[in-house]
Amino acid sequence: MQRPSTSSQKPPGSTPSLKIVLKSLRNPPLTLSLSSESPLTSIHELKAAVVKELGGSAKVENIRILYKKKPCSDSKTVKEIVGDEGVGKEVEFTVMVIGGFAAPVSQQGANPGPVSQGPSGEEILRSEEFWGDLKGFLLQRLRDEEKATEALNAFQKGWRKREAL
């Protein structure tokens, strides 16, 4: 009796990859292909890839990712959304940018003044962008939207209490 060939089987514990295509049907026009992505990639990581691609004033909290016209939670992974049917294949998500998008302004021919370092320290802690990034990080690590919001609120409450002293 002949044993089945194991050469086409993946080693135990290896995670198959998939190709993820992110498309925006409206402004800004975007088609972003991410090849060899893990099915364990979170939706928040996909949003971060879109922000990196768009540059300018795009923010993670203004990006919505949809799969088959249904919104996807930041805490979910691609595998949780598409199931096993998408593993090893191409999976397409739709991207929506909420609140508009301002493309980066070209600096060609302009006199570049001194380079700005941007806000830092306590100034950055007062910005909504910082707290949005922190929430995204918590969602990515905890994979539980309720717990991430609870942790974010605890951080904000503690920081505001400290500032009041």
Side-chain angles (χ1 to χ4, degrees):
M1 186 155 121
Q2 216 175 9
R3 284 181 43 180
S5 172
T6 58
S7 63
S8 64
Q9 293 178 348
K10 297 214 181 249
S14 71
T15 306
S17 65
L18 63 149
K19 181 178 180 181
I20 298 173
V21 178
L22 301 164
K23 285 187 178 183
S24 173
L25 304 175
R26 297 196 177 144
N27 198 20
L30 168 78
T31 300
L32 177 61
S33 293
L34 305 171
S35 58
S36 301
E37 288 295 314
S38 166
L40 302 177
T41 302
S42 72
I43 297 301
H44 183 74
E45 290 171 304
L46 296 181
K47 287 182 175 185
V50 170
V51 167
K52 184 177 178 182
E53 179 72 16
L54 292 176
S57 62
K59 296 180 183 177
V60 172
E61 58 267 12
N62 293 348
I63 306 291
R64 299 291 181 267
I65 304 286
L66 303 135
Y67 181 68
K68 295 185 178 178
K69 299 182 181 181
K70 293 182 182 172
C72 304
S73 172
D74 283 4
S75 59
K76 298 280 187 185
T77 63
V78 172
K79 185 175 181 179
E80 290 173 316
I81 293 167
V82 302
D84 290 329
E85 69 190 47
V87 176
K89 299 178 184 170
E90 180 175 294
V91 180
E92 186 174 308
F93 289 92
T94 305
V95 176
M96 290 176 49
V97 180
I98 307 299
F101 171 74
V105 179
S106 172
Q107 291 288 329
Q108 291 181 349
N111 245 347
V115 176
S116 172
Q117 294 295 322
S120 62
E122 291 196 27
E123 185 180 351
I124 196 75
L125 287 164
R126 291 187 189 102
S127 75
E128 287 300 316
E129 182 179 4
F130 170 80
W131 295 106
D133 288 345
L134 180 58
K135 182 176 182 180
F137 173 80
L138 291 169
L139 278 168
Q140 183 178 3
R141 294 290 184 220
L142 300 175
R143 298 186 190 265
D144 181 335
E145 206 154 354
E146 188 176 310
K147 291 290 182 192
T149 301
E150 186 179 322
L152 177 69
N153 290 338
F155 281 122
Q156 285 180 318
K157 182 179 178 184
W159 183 255
R160 288 186 186 120
K161 186 176 181 181
R162 181 197 166 282
E163 276 190 320
L165 295 177

